[in-house]
Amino acid sequence: MQEANTDSAETFDALNEVSARNLTKQQLWERKLLDLGLRNNLLNTHMGKTTLMLSETDVPALEDALFAGEVFDIASTGTDNAGTRTLRTPLEPALLKPALTRLYRAARTLLEENGANTLYLALGFLQWYETPKAEKARM
């Protein structure tokens, strides 16, 4: 795993050097600020303790409702929440509350430390491969 990260970083650096010849200083600084490597969680997401998968079939309607400021409950797939707007997750009910608490605490801590809100909602994922020969799909 470490070797793959090193190879991709070297490839990225080589591409930067080749394309840097035609860029201004400002464009070079901007390019250096944006991490396009696998360490960037926005480009290479790992499903783990800091993520919560939701099951929603009508994504455009969900996006519109969130933009309109509607409030949703989050519940496990097998539970009944009649009369409320509910987003479903495949997590078992016993694991859902600790997962939501972890997300809340992590987001609150980052907001207090950095002054920036870093709690994201991704509506769909794109699977991609580092190289045409790569076997492992990235999200």
Side-chain angles (χ1 to χ4, degrees), residues 75-97:
S76 295
T77 305
T79 59
D80 181 34
N81 287 36
T84 63
R85 297 283 310 241
T86 305
L87 297 174
R88 301 290 178 185
T89 180
L91 275 180
E92 298 172 16
L95 300 175
L96 180 59
K97 185 172 181 176

Side-chain angles (χ1 to χ4, degrees), residues 13-89:
D13 290 341
L15 288 173
N16 270 343
E17 288 177 22
V18 170
S19 62
R21 295 178 189 149
N22 299 325
L23 298 176
T24 66
K25 279 188 177 184
Q26 180 180 349
Q27 289 170 325
L28 285 172
W29 291 336
E30 290 171 356
R31 187 172 280 188
K32 287 180 182 180
L33 285 174
L34 182 60
D35 179 11
L36 296 176
L38 295 177
R39 292 174 299 202
N40 184 340
N41 288 332
L42 297 174
L43 299 177
N44 185 30
T45 301
H46 301 283
M47 293 299 182
K49 289 185 175 186
T50 58
T51 59
L52 180 65
M53 186 181 298
L54 301 173
S55 304
E56 182 63 35
T57 55
D58 192 1
V59 174
L62 172 62
E63 181 186 14
D64 292 342
L66 289 170
F67 184 75
E70 290 188 34
V71 177
F72 290 84
D73 288 336
I74 298 177
S76 295
T77 305
T79 59
D80 181 34
N81 287 36
T84 63
R85 297 283 310 241
T86 305
L87 297 174
R88 301 290 178 185
T89 180

Side-chain angles (χ1 to χ4, degrees), residues 6-17:
T6 305
D7 290 343
S8 91
E10 289 172 2
T11 303
F12 179 70
D13 290 341
L15 288 173
N16 270 343
E17 288 177 22

